PDB file of all heavy atoms in Angstrom:
ATOM      1  N   ASP A   1       0.833  -1.195   0.000  1.00  0.00           N
ATOM      2  CA  ASP A   1       0.000   0.000   0.000  1.00  0.00           C
ATOM      3  C   ASP A   1       0.872   1.251   0.000  1.00  0.00           C
ATOM      4  O   ASP A   1       1.740   1.414   0.868  1.00  0.00           O
ATOM      5  CB  ASP A   1      -0.913   0.024   1.227  1.00  0.00           C
ATOM      6  CG  ASP A   1      -1.894   1.175   1.169  1.00  0.00           C
ATOM      7  OD1 ASP A   1      -1.518   2.315   1.521  1.00  0.00           O
ATOM      8  OD2 ASP A   1      -3.043   0.946   0.760  1.00  0.00           O
ATOM      9  N   GLY A   2       0.640   2.115  -0.978  1.00  0.00           N
ATOM     10  CA  GLY A   2       1.337   3.380  -1.042  1.00  0.00           C
ATOM     11  C   GLY A   2       0.407   4.559  -0.865  1.00  0.00           C
ATOM     12  O   GLY A   2       0.805   5.705  -1.097  1.00  0.00           O
ATOM     13  N   TYR A   3      -0.824   4.281  -0.459  1.00  0.00           N
ATOM     14  CA  TYR A   3      -1.807   5.338  -0.211  1.00  0.00           C
ATOM     15  C   TYR A   3      -1.774   5.770   1.254  1.00  0.00           C
ATOM     16  O   TYR A   3      -1.598   6.953   1.566  1.00  0.00           O
ATOM     17  CB  TYR A   3      -3.206   4.851  -0.594  1.00  0.00           C
ATOM     18  CG  TYR A   3      -4.289   5.869  -0.332  1.00  0.00           C
ATOM     19  CD1 TYR A   3      -4.547   6.891  -1.241  1.00  0.00           C
ATOM     20  CD2 TYR A   3      -5.067   5.807   0.820  1.00  0.00           C
ATOM     21  CE1 TYR A   3      -5.540   7.831  -1.001  1.00  0.00           C
ATOM     22  CE2 TYR A   3      -6.067   6.738   1.076  1.00  0.00           C
ATOM     23  CZ  TYR A   3      -6.301   7.747   0.166  1.00  0.00           C
ATOM     24  OH  TYR A   3      -7.293   8.677   0.402  1.00  0.00           O
ATOM     25  N   TRP A   4      -1.916   4.805   2.160  1.00  0.00           N
ATOM     26  CA  TRP A   4      -1.881   5.096   3.591  1.00  0.00           C
ATOM     27  C   TRP A   4      -0.455   5.125   4.134  1.00  0.00           C
ATOM     28  O   TRP A   4      -0.184   5.742   5.162  1.00  0.00           O
ATOM     29  CB  TRP A   4      -2.685   4.058   4.371  1.00  0.00           C
ATOM     30  CG  TRP A   4      -4.143   4.063   4.109  1.00  0.00           C
ATOM     31  CD1 TRP A   4      -4.864   3.127   3.412  1.00  0.00           C
ATOM     32  CD2 TRP A   4      -5.099   5.044   4.539  1.00  0.00           C
ATOM     33  NE1 TRP A   4      -6.195   3.462   3.376  1.00  0.00           N
ATOM     34  CE2 TRP A   4      -6.369   4.639   4.061  1.00  0.00           C
ATOM     35  CE3 TRP A   4      -5.000   6.224   5.272  1.00  0.00           C
ATOM     36  CZ2 TRP A   4      -7.524   5.382   4.302  1.00  0.00           C
ATOM     37  CZ3 TRP A   4      -6.165   6.954   5.520  1.00  0.00           C
ATOM     38  CH2 TRP A   4      -7.408   6.533   5.028  1.00  0.00           C
ATOM     39  N   LEU A   5       0.458   4.429   3.468  1.00  0.00           N
ATOM     40  CA  LEU A   5       1.804   4.223   4.002  1.00  0.00           C
ATOM     41  C   LEU A   5       2.850   4.906   3.137  1.00  0.00           C
ATOM     42  O   LEU A   5       2.716   4.954   1.910  1.00  0.00           O
ATOM     43  CB  LEU A   5       2.101   2.724   4.082  1.00  0.00           C
ATOM     44  CG  LEU A   5       1.122   1.886   4.918  1.00  0.00           C
ATOM     45  CD1 LEU A   5       1.420   0.408   4.743  1.00  0.00           C
ATOM     46  CD2 LEU A   5       1.188   2.284   6.387  1.00  0.00           C
ATOM     47  N   ASP A   6       3.915   5.400   3.783  1.00  0.00           N
ATOM     48  CA  ASP A   6       4.994   6.011   3.020  1.00  0.00           C
ATOM     49  C   ASP A   6       6.124   5.008   2.807  1.00  0.00           C
ATOM     50  O   ASP A   6       6.082   3.872   3.287  1.00  0.00           O
ATOM     51  CB  ASP A   6       5.504   7.290   3.695  1.00  0.00           C
ATOM     52  CG  ASP A   6       6.092   7.061   5.083  1.00  0.00           C
ATOM     53  OD1 ASP A   6       6.695   5.988   5.314  1.00  0.00           O
ATOM     54  OD2 ASP A   6       5.959   7.957   5.939  1.00  0.00           O
ATOM     55  N   SER A   7       7.140   5.454   2.097  1.00  0.00           N
ATOM     56  CA  SER A   7       8.200   4.539   1.674  1.00  0.00           C
ATOM     57  C   SER A   7       9.035   4.001   2.826  1.00  0.00           C
ATOM     58  O   SER A   7       9.737   2.997   2.653  1.00  0.00           O
ATOM     59  CB  SER A   7       9.111   5.236   0.661  1.00  0.00           C
ATOM     60  OG  SER A   7       9.703   6.401   1.239  1.00  0.00           O
ATOM     61  N   SER A   8       8.962   4.628   3.993  1.00  0.00           N
ATOM     62  CA  SER A   8       9.744   4.130   5.133  1.00  0.00           C
ATOM     63  C   SER A   8       9.309   2.735   5.569  1.00  0.00           C
ATOM     64  O   SER A   8      10.093   2.005   6.178  1.00  0.00           O
ATOM     65  CB  SER A   8       9.630   5.098   6.319  1.00  0.00           C
ATOM     66  OG  SER A   8       8.317   5.096   6.867  1.00  0.00           O
ATOM     67  N   THR A   9       8.069   2.375   5.252  1.00  0.00           N
ATOM     68  CA  THR A   9       7.558   1.049   5.636  1.00  0.00           C
ATOM     69  C   THR A   9       7.766   0.004   4.547  1.00  0.00           C
ATOM     70  O   THR A   9       7.387  -1.154   4.732  1.00  0.00           O
ATOM     71  CB  THR A   9       6.053   1.115   5.965  1.00  0.00           C
ATOM     72  OG1 THR A   9       5.322   1.457   4.776  1.00  0.00           O
ATOM     73  CG2 THR A   9       5.762   2.134   7.058  1.00  0.00           C
ATOM     74  N   ALA A  10       8.331   0.392   3.407  1.00  0.00           N
ATOM     75  CA  ALA A  10       8.445  -0.517   2.265  1.00  0.00           C
ATOM     76  C   ALA A  10       9.140  -1.832   2.612  1.00  0.00           C
ATOM     77  O   ALA A  10       8.635  -2.908   2.253  1.00  0.00           O
ATOM     78  CB  ALA A  10       9.137   0.171   1.099  1.00  0.00           C
ATOM     79  N   PRO A  11      10.285  -1.823   3.284  1.00  0.00           N
ATOM     80  CA  PRO A  11      10.942  -3.104   3.586  1.00  0.00           C
ATOM     81  C   PRO A  11      10.070  -4.037   4.421  1.00  0.00           C
ATOM     82  O   PRO A  11       9.989  -5.241   4.138  1.00  0.00           O
ATOM     83  CB  PRO A  11      12.207  -2.686   4.340  1.00  0.00           C
ATOM     84  CG  PRO A  11      12.481  -1.299   3.868  1.00  0.00           C
ATOM     85  CD  PRO A  11      11.131  -0.677   3.684  1.00  0.00           C
ATOM     86  N   ALA A  12       9.410  -3.482   5.437  1.00  0.00           N
ATOM     87  CA  ALA A  12       8.559  -4.318   6.286  1.00  0.00           C
ATOM     88  C   ALA A  12       7.339  -4.812   5.522  1.00  0.00           C
ATOM     89  O   ALA A  12       6.928  -5.977   5.659  1.00  0.00           O
ATOM     90  CB  ALA A  12       8.121  -3.541   7.526  1.00  0.00           C
ATOM     91  N   GLN A  13       6.745  -3.951   4.709  1.00  0.00           N
ATOM     92  CA  GLN A  13       5.603  -4.370   3.887  1.00  0.00           C
ATOM     93  C   GLN A  13       5.990  -5.534   2.984  1.00  0.00           C
ATOM     94  O   GLN A  13       5.271  -6.540   2.887  1.00  0.00           O
ATOM     95  CB  GLN A  13       5.127  -3.213   3.006  1.00  0.00           C
ATOM     96  CG  GLN A  13       4.294  -2.157   3.665  1.00  0.00           C
ATOM     97  CD  GLN A  13       3.562  -1.333   2.617  1.00  0.00           C
ATOM     98  OE1 GLN A  13       2.688  -1.850   1.905  1.00  0.00           O
ATOM     99  NE2 GLN A  13       3.906  -0.063   2.511  1.00  0.00           N
ATOM    100  N   GLU A  14       7.108  -5.376   2.299  1.00  0.00           N
ATOM    101  CA  GLU A  14       7.509  -6.386   1.326  1.00  0.00           C
ATOM    102  C   GLU A  14       7.865  -7.709   1.993  1.00  0.00           C
ATOM    103  O   GLU A  14       7.598  -8.781   1.436  1.00  0.00           O
ATOM    104  CB  GLU A  14       8.674  -5.853   0.490  1.00  0.00           C
ATOM    105  CG  GLU A  14       8.256  -4.713  -0.417  1.00  0.00           C
ATOM    106  CD  GLU A  14       9.339  -4.281  -1.388  1.00  0.00           C
ATOM    107  OE1 GLU A  14      10.382  -4.977  -1.479  1.00  0.00           O
ATOM    108  OE2 GLU A  14       9.142  -3.245  -2.065  1.00  0.00           O
ATOM    109  N   GLN A  15       8.458  -7.655   3.177  1.00  0.00           N
ATOM    110  CA  GLN A  15       8.801  -8.890   3.864  1.00  0.00           C
ATOM    111  C   GLN A  15       7.560  -9.708   4.199  1.00  0.00           C
ATOM    112  O   GLN A  15       7.502 -10.922   3.936  1.00  0.00           O
ATOM    113  CB  GLN A  15       9.574  -8.597   5.146  1.00  0.00           C
ATOM    114  CG  GLN A  15       9.965  -9.862   5.910  1.00  0.00           C
ATOM    115  CD  GLN A  15      10.771  -9.563   7.162  1.00  0.00           C
ATOM    116  OE1 GLN A  15      11.191  -8.432   7.391  1.00  0.00           O
ATOM    117  NE2 GLN A  15      10.988 -10.586   7.974  1.00  0.00           N
ATOM    118  N   VAL A  16       6.554  -9.052   4.756  1.00  0.00           N
ATOM    119  CA  VAL A  16       5.312  -9.762   5.093  1.00  0.00           C
ATOM    120  C   VAL A  16       4.624 -10.250   3.825  1.00  0.00           C
ATOM    121  O   VAL A  16       4.147 -11.403   3.760  1.00  0.00           O
ATOM    122  CB  VAL A  16       4.369  -8.858   5.905  1.00  0.00           C
ATOM    123  CG1 VAL A  16       3.022  -9.549   6.136  1.00  0.00           C
ATOM    124  CG2 VAL A  16       5.005  -8.494   7.236  1.00  0.00           C
ATOM    125  N   PHE A  17       4.561  -9.411   2.807  1.00  0.00           N
ATOM    126  CA  PHE A  17       3.938  -9.783   1.537  1.00  0.00           C
ATOM    127  C   PHE A  17       4.604 -11.027   0.963  1.00  0.00           C
ATOM    128  O   PHE A  17       3.927 -11.988   0.559  1.00  0.00           O
ATOM    129  CB  PHE A  17       4.043  -8.604   0.573  1.00  0.00           C
ATOM    130  CG  PHE A  17       3.367  -8.809  -0.761  1.00  0.00           C
ATOM    131  CD1 PHE A  17       2.211  -9.568  -0.893  1.00  0.00           C
ATOM    132  CD2 PHE A  17       3.893  -8.210  -1.905  1.00  0.00           C
ATOM    133  CE1 PHE A  17       1.592  -9.732  -2.128  1.00  0.00           C
ATOM    134  CE2 PHE A  17       3.287  -8.367  -3.138  1.00  0.00           C
ATOM    135  CZ  PHE A  17       2.137  -9.131  -3.252  1.00  0.00           C
ATOM    136  N   GLU A  18       5.912 -11.049   0.945  1.00  0.00           N
ATOM    137  CA  GLU A  18       6.626 -12.184   0.364  1.00  0.00           C
ATOM    138  C   GLU A  18       6.420 -13.461   1.181  1.00  0.00           C
ATOM    139  O   GLU A  18       6.311 -14.554   0.606  1.00  0.00           O
ATOM    140  CB  GLU A  18       8.109 -11.844   0.247  1.00  0.00           C
ATOM    141  CG  GLU A  18       8.386 -10.797  -0.832  1.00  0.00           C
ATOM    142  CD  GLU A  18       9.853 -10.420  -0.952  1.00  0.00           C
ATOM    143  OE1 GLU A  18      10.695 -11.083  -0.292  1.00  0.00           O
ATOM    144  OE2 GLU A  18      10.172  -9.478  -1.707  1.00  0.00           O
ATOM    145  N   GLU A  19       6.337 -13.343   2.487  1.00  0.00           N
ATOM    146  CA  GLU A  19       6.080 -14.535   3.306  1.00  0.00           C
ATOM    147  C   GLU A  19       4.685 -15.083   3.051  1.00  0.00           C
ATOM    148  O   GLU A  19       4.485 -16.307   2.989  1.00  0.00           O
ATOM    149  CB  GLU A  19       6.277 -14.211   4.783  1.00  0.00           C
ATOM    150  CG  GLU A  19       7.730 -13.962   5.151  1.00  0.00           C
ATOM    151  CD  GLU A  19       7.939 -13.864   6.645  1.00  0.00           C
ATOM    152  OE1 GLU A  19       7.455 -14.759   7.366  1.00  0.00           O
ATOM    153  OE2 GLU A  19       8.578 -12.895   7.096  1.00  0.00           O
ATOM    154  N   LEU A  20       3.719 -14.200   2.881  1.00  0.00           N
ATOM    155  CA  LEU A  20       2.358 -14.662   2.588  1.00  0.00           C
ATOM    156  C   LEU A  20       2.272 -15.251   1.183  1.00  0.00           C
ATOM    157  O   LEU A  20       1.567 -16.256   0.956  1.00  0.00           O
ATOM    158  CB  LEU A  20       1.372 -13.505   2.756  1.00  0.00           C
ATOM    159  CG  LEU A  20       1.188 -13.022   4.196  1.00  0.00           C
ATOM    160  CD1 LEU A  20       0.345 -11.752   4.237  1.00  0.00           C
ATOM    161  CD2 LEU A  20       0.556 -14.102   5.067  1.00  0.00           C
ATOM    162  N   LEU A  21       2.974 -14.657   0.235  1.00  0.00           N
ATOM    163  CA  LEU A  21       3.014 -15.229  -1.109  1.00  0.00           C
ATOM    164  C   LEU A  21       3.641 -16.617  -1.101  1.00  0.00           C
ATOM    165  O   LEU A  21       3.215 -17.500  -1.858  1.00  0.00           O
ATOM    166  CB  LEU A  21       3.803 -14.315  -2.054  1.00  0.00           C
ATOM    167  CG  LEU A  21       3.136 -12.998  -2.445  1.00  0.00           C
ATOM    168  CD1 LEU A  21       4.094 -12.154  -3.289  1.00  0.00           C
ATOM    169  CD2 LEU A  21       1.833 -13.236  -3.194  1.00  0.00           C
ATOM    170  N   ASP A  22       4.628 -16.808  -0.258  1.00  0.00           N
ATOM    171  CA  ASP A  22       5.258 -18.125  -0.162  1.00  0.00           C
ATOM    172  C   ASP A  22       4.260 -19.177   0.307  1.00  0.00           C
ATOM    173  O   ASP A  22       4.284 -20.319  -0.171  1.00  0.00           O
ATOM    174  CB  ASP A  22       6.456 -18.072   0.790  1.00  0.00           C
ATOM    175  CG  ASP A  22       7.142 -19.421   0.907  1.00  0.00           C
ATOM    176  OD1 ASP A  22       7.781 -19.858  -0.080  1.00  0.00           O
ATOM    177  OD2 ASP A  22       7.026 -20.072   1.976  1.00  0.00           O
ATOM    178  N   ILE A  23       3.386 -18.803   1.228  1.00  0.00           N
ATOM    179  CA  ILE A  23       2.352 -19.738   1.687  1.00  0.00           C
ATOM    180  C   ILE A  23       1.436 -20.109   0.523  1.00  0.00           C
ATOM    181  O   ILE A  23       1.146 -21.290   0.283  1.00  0.00           O
ATOM    182  CB  ILE A  23       1.529 -19.122   2.837  1.00  0.00           C
ATOM    183  CG1 ILE A  23       2.417 -18.867   4.051  1.00  0.00           C
ATOM    184  CG2 ILE A  23       0.357 -20.043   3.210  1.00  0.00           C
ATOM    185  CD1 ILE A  23       1.732 -18.072   5.161  1.00  0.00           C
ATOM    186  N   ALA A  24       0.970 -19.099  -0.213  1.00  0.00           N
ATOM    187  CA  ALA A  24       0.081 -19.356  -1.345  1.00  0.00           C
ATOM    188  C   ALA A  24       0.754 -20.240  -2.384  1.00  0.00           C
ATOM    189  O   ALA A  24       0.152 -21.196  -2.903  1.00  0.00           O
ATOM    190  CB  ALA A  24      -0.355 -18.036  -1.968  1.00  0.00           C
ATOM    191  N   LYS A  25       2.009 -19.946  -2.661  1.00  0.00           N
ATOM    192  CA  LYS A  25       2.735 -20.707  -3.672  1.00  0.00           C
ATOM    193  C   LYS A  25       2.983 -22.139  -3.208  1.00  0.00           C
ATOM    194  O   LYS A  25       2.800 -23.098  -3.979  1.00  0.00           O
ATOM    195  CB  LYS A  25       4.055 -20.004  -3.978  1.00  0.00           C
ATOM    196  CG  LYS A  25       4.836 -20.621  -5.118  1.00  0.00           C
ATOM    197  CD  LYS A  25       6.096 -19.820  -5.407  1.00  0.00           C
ATOM    198  CE  LYS A  25       6.948 -20.490  -6.470  1.00  0.00           C
ATOM    199  NZ  LYS A  25       8.206 -19.746  -6.721  1.00  0.00           N
ATOM    200  N   THR A  26       3.380 -22.299  -1.956  1.00  0.00           N
ATOM    201  CA  THR A  26       3.680 -23.625  -1.426  1.00  0.00           C
ATOM    202  C   THR A  26       2.467 -24.541  -1.459  1.00  0.00           C
ATOM    203  O   THR A  26       2.572 -25.727  -1.813  1.00  0.00           O
ATOM    204  CB  THR A  26       4.199 -23.512   0.027  1.00  0.00           C
ATOM    205  OG1 THR A  26       5.415 -22.747   0.026  1.00  0.00           O
ATOM    206  CG2 THR A  26       4.458 -24.883   0.627  1.00  0.00           C
ATOM    207  N   TYR A  27       1.300 -24.003  -1.112  1.00  0.00           N
ATOM    208  CA  TYR A  27       0.101 -24.832  -1.008  1.00  0.00           C
ATOM    209  C   TYR A  27      -0.811 -24.682  -2.223  1.00  0.00           C
ATOM    210  O   TYR A  27      -1.941 -25.167  -2.205  1.00  0.00           O
ATOM    211  CB  TYR A  27      -0.626 -24.518   0.302  1.00  0.00           C
ATOM    212  CG  TYR A  27       0.231 -24.926   1.484  1.00  0.00           C
ATOM    213  CD1 TYR A  27       0.984 -23.986   2.182  1.00  0.00           C
ATOM    214  CD2 TYR A  27       0.349 -26.264   1.844  1.00  0.00           C
ATOM    215  CE1 TYR A  27       1.816 -24.365   3.236  1.00  0.00           C
ATOM    216  CE2 TYR A  27       1.175 -26.655   2.894  1.00  0.00           C
ATOM    217  CZ  TYR A  27       1.904 -25.698   3.571  1.00  0.00           C
ATOM    218  OH  TYR A  27       2.734 -26.090   4.611  1.00  0.00           O
ATOM    219  N   LYS A  28      -0.301 -24.008  -3.254  1.00  0.00           N
ATOM    220  CA  LYS A  28      -0.979 -23.928  -4.552  1.00  0.00           C
ATOM    221  C   LYS A  28      -2.398 -23.378  -4.428  1.00  0.00           C
ATOM    222  O   LYS A  28      -3.355 -23.905  -5.017  1.00  0.00           O
ATOM    223  CB  LYS A  28      -0.988 -25.303  -5.234  1.00  0.00           C
ATOM    224  CG  LYS A  28       0.420 -25.808  -5.568  1.00  0.00           C
ATOM    225  CD  LYS A  28       0.374 -27.181  -6.229  1.00  0.00           C
ATOM    226  CE  LYS A  28       1.744 -27.613  -6.719  1.00  0.00           C
ATOM    227  NZ  LYS A  28       2.778 -27.652  -5.660  1.00  0.00           N
ATOM    228  N   ILE A  29      -2.518 -22.306  -3.632  1.00  0.00           N
ATOM    229  CA  ILE A  29      -3.792 -21.607  -3.507  1.00  0.00           C
ATOM    230  C   ILE A  29      -3.581 -20.155  -3.933  1.00  0.00           C
ATOM    231  O   ILE A  29      -2.460 -19.661  -3.955  1.00  0.00           O
ATOM    232  CB  ILE A  29      -4.361 -21.684  -2.075  1.00  0.00           C
ATOM    233  CG1 ILE A  29      -3.332 -21.193  -1.051  1.00  0.00           C
ATOM    234  CG2 ILE A  29      -4.821 -23.108  -1.760  1.00  0.00           C
ATOM    235  CD1 ILE A  29      -3.843 -21.212   0.386  1.00  0.00           C
ATOM    236  N   PRO A  30      -4.645 -19.448  -4.307  1.00  0.00           N
ATOM    237  CA  PRO A  30      -4.482 -18.087  -4.825  1.00  0.00           C
ATOM    238  C   PRO A  30      -4.028 -17.104  -3.750  1.00  0.00           C
ATOM    239  O   PRO A  30      -4.385 -17.227  -2.570  1.00  0.00           O
ATOM    240  CB  PRO A  30      -5.887 -17.720  -5.310  1.00  0.00           C
ATOM    241  CG  PRO A  30      -6.637 -19.000  -5.392  1.00  0.00           C
ATOM    242  CD  PRO A  30      -6.035 -19.921  -4.391  1.00  0.00           C
ATOM    243  N   ALA A  31      -3.282 -16.114  -4.189  1.00  0.00           N
ATOM    244  CA  ALA A  31      -3.004 -14.928  -3.388  1.00  0.00           C
ATOM    245  C   ALA A  31      -3.936 -13.824  -3.868  1.00  0.00           C
ATOM    246  O   ALA A  31      -4.037 -13.568  -5.070  1.00  0.00           O
ATOM    247  CB  ALA A  31      -1.556 -14.493  -3.544  1.00  0.00           C
ATOM    248  N   ILE A  32      -4.634 -13.201  -2.926  1.00  0.00           N
ATOM    249  CA  ILE A  32      -5.595 -12.146  -3.256  1.00  0.00           C
ATOM    250  C   ILE A  32      -4.974 -10.830  -2.812  1.00  0.00           C
ATOM    251  O   ILE A  32      -4.729 -10.611  -1.627  1.00  0.00           O
ATOM    252  CB  ILE A  32      -6.945 -12.409  -2.579  1.00  0.00           C
ATOM    253  CG1 ILE A  32      -7.461 -13.796  -3.004  1.00  0.00           C
ATOM    254  CG2 ILE A  32      -7.948 -11.334  -2.955  1.00  0.00           C
ATOM    255  CD1 ILE A  32      -8.640 -14.285  -2.221  1.00  0.00           C
ATOM    256  N   ILE A  33      -4.717  -9.951  -3.778  1.00  0.00           N
ATOM    257  CA  ILE A  33      -3.686  -8.931  -3.601  1.00  0.00           C
ATOM    258  C   ILE A  33      -4.204  -7.499  -3.671  1.00  0.00           C
ATOM    259  O   ILE A  33      -4.950  -7.121  -4.577  1.00  0.00           O
ATOM    260  CB  ILE A  33      -2.594  -9.152  -4.663  1.00  0.00           C
ATOM    261  CG1 ILE A  33      -1.926 -10.510  -4.405  1.00  0.00           C
ATOM    262  CG2 ILE A  33      -1.565  -8.038  -4.651  1.00  0.00           C
ATOM    263  CD1 ILE A  33      -1.067 -10.992  -5.531  1.00  0.00           C
ATOM    264  N   HIS A  34      -3.746  -6.733  -2.697  1.00  0.00           N
ATOM    265  CA  HIS A  34      -3.949  -5.286  -2.595  1.00  0.00           C
ATOM    266  C   HIS A  34      -2.683  -4.621  -3.135  1.00  0.00           C
ATOM    267  O   HIS A  34      -1.581  -4.963  -2.702  1.00  0.00           O
ATOM    268  CB  HIS A  34      -4.166  -4.938  -1.116  1.00  0.00           C
ATOM    269  CG  HIS A  34      -4.239  -3.479  -0.810  1.00  0.00           C
ATOM    270  ND1 HIS A  34      -5.419  -2.857  -0.454  1.00  0.00           N
ATOM    271  CD2 HIS A  34      -3.281  -2.515  -0.743  1.00  0.00           C
ATOM    272  CE1 HIS A  34      -5.189  -1.581  -0.201  1.00  0.00           C
ATOM    273  NE2 HIS A  34      -3.896  -1.342  -0.370  1.00  0.00           N
ATOM    274  N   SER A  35      -2.838  -3.666  -4.052  1.00  0.00           N
ATOM    275  CA  SER A  35      -1.645  -3.087  -4.693  1.00  0.00           C
ATOM    276  C   SER A  35      -1.739  -1.575  -4.825  1.00  0.00           C
ATOM    277  O   SER A  35      -1.077  -0.986  -5.682  1.00  0.00           O
ATOM    278  CB  SER A  35      -1.450  -3.705  -6.079  1.00  0.00           C
ATOM    279  OG  SER A  35      -2.595  -3.461  -6.901  1.00  0.00           O
ATOM    280  N   ARG A  36      -2.502  -0.931  -3.970  1.00  0.00           N
ATOM    281  CA  ARG A  36      -2.857   0.479  -4.136  1.00  0.00           C
ATOM    282  C   ARG A  36      -1.636   1.392  -4.144  1.00  0.00           C
ATOM    283  O   ARG A  36      -0.870   1.453  -3.181  1.00  0.00           O
ATOM    284  CB  ARG A  36      -3.808   0.897  -3.017  1.00  0.00           C
ATOM    285  CG  ARG A  36      -4.497   2.227  -3.247  1.00  0.00           C
ATOM    286  CD  ARG A  36      -5.492   2.505  -2.141  1.00  0.00           C
ATOM    287  NE  ARG A  36      -6.273   3.693  -2.419  1.00  0.00           N
ATOM    288  CZ  ARG A  36      -7.147   4.233  -1.558  1.00  0.00           C
ATOM    289  NH1 ARG A  36      -7.342   3.658  -0.379  1.00  0.00           N
ATOM    290  NH2 ARG A  36      -7.816   5.316  -1.878  1.00  0.00           N
ATOM    291  N   LYS A  37      -1.476   2.099  -5.240  1.00  0.00           N
ATOM    292  CA  LYS A  37      -0.396   3.068  -5.460  1.00  0.00           C
ATOM    293  C   LYS A  37       0.994   2.427  -5.566  1.00  0.00           C
ATOM    294  O   LYS A  37       1.989   3.144  -5.711  1.00  0.00           O
ATOM    295  CB  LYS A  37      -0.369   4.135  -4.361  1.00  0.00           C
ATOM    296  CG  LYS A  37      -1.648   4.951  -4.231  1.00  0.00           C
ATOM    297  CD  LYS A  37      -1.874   5.851  -5.428  1.00  0.00           C
ATOM    298  CE  LYS A  37      -3.087   6.739  -5.234  1.00  0.00           C
ATOM    299  NZ  LYS A  37      -3.329   7.620  -6.403  1.00  0.00           N
ATOM    300  N   LEU A  38       1.053   1.100  -5.507  1.00  0.00           N
ATOM    301  CA  LEU A  38       2.329   0.398  -5.658  1.00  0.00           C
ATOM    302  C   LEU A  38       2.174  -0.771  -6.625  1.00  0.00           C
ATOM    303  O   LEU A  38       2.733  -1.849  -6.422  1.00  0.00           O
ATOM    304  CB  LEU A  38       2.845  -0.089  -4.300  1.00  0.00           C
ATOM    305  CG  LEU A  38       3.381   1.000  -3.357  1.00  0.00           C
ATOM    306  CD1 LEU A  38       3.682   0.431  -1.979  1.00  0.00           C
ATOM    307  CD2 LEU A  38       4.628   1.653  -3.946  1.00  0.00           C
ATOM    308  N   GLU A  39       1.403  -0.544  -7.665  1.00  0.00           N
ATOM    309  CA  GLU A  39       1.081  -1.629  -8.589  1.00  0.00           C
ATOM    310  C   GLU A  39       2.325  -2.179  -9.293  1.00  0.00           C
ATOM    311  O   GLU A  39       2.492  -3.401  -9.404  1.00  0.00           O
ATOM    312  CB  GLU A  39       0.064  -1.135  -9.629  1.00  0.00           C
ATOM    313  CG  GLU A  39      -1.303  -0.810  -9.051  1.00  0.00           C
ATOM    314  CD  GLU A  39      -1.419   0.613  -8.544  1.00  0.00           C
ATOM    315  OE1 GLU A  39      -0.442   1.389  -8.696  1.00  0.00           O
ATOM    316  OE2 GLU A  39      -2.491   0.969  -8.003  1.00  0.00           O
TER     317      GLU A  39
END
């Protein structure tokens, strides 16, 4: 999210996002994604 959050949170945002994507990928289920202002 780049609407509510500024770039200082980018590393933490991406770390959590990537860990959740890993779960989706590992168990072959969809990731349902919010991408506001950081598409």
Side-chain angles (χ1 to χ4, degrees):
D1 186 278
Y3 178 82
W4 294 108
L5 303 172
D6 62 34
S7 60
S8 69
T9 65
Q13 282 197 66
E14 292 188 9
Q15 180 178 351
V16 174
F17 184 33
E18 289 179 8
E19 290 189 50
L20 292 172
L21 289 175
D22 180 70
I23 297 172
K25 186 177 175 182
T26 298
Y27 295 100
K28 296 179 173 57
I29 54 179
I32 303 169
I33 296 167
H34 174 109
S35 59
R36 193 176 187 186
K37 301 292 185 180
L38 288 172
E39 293 88 3

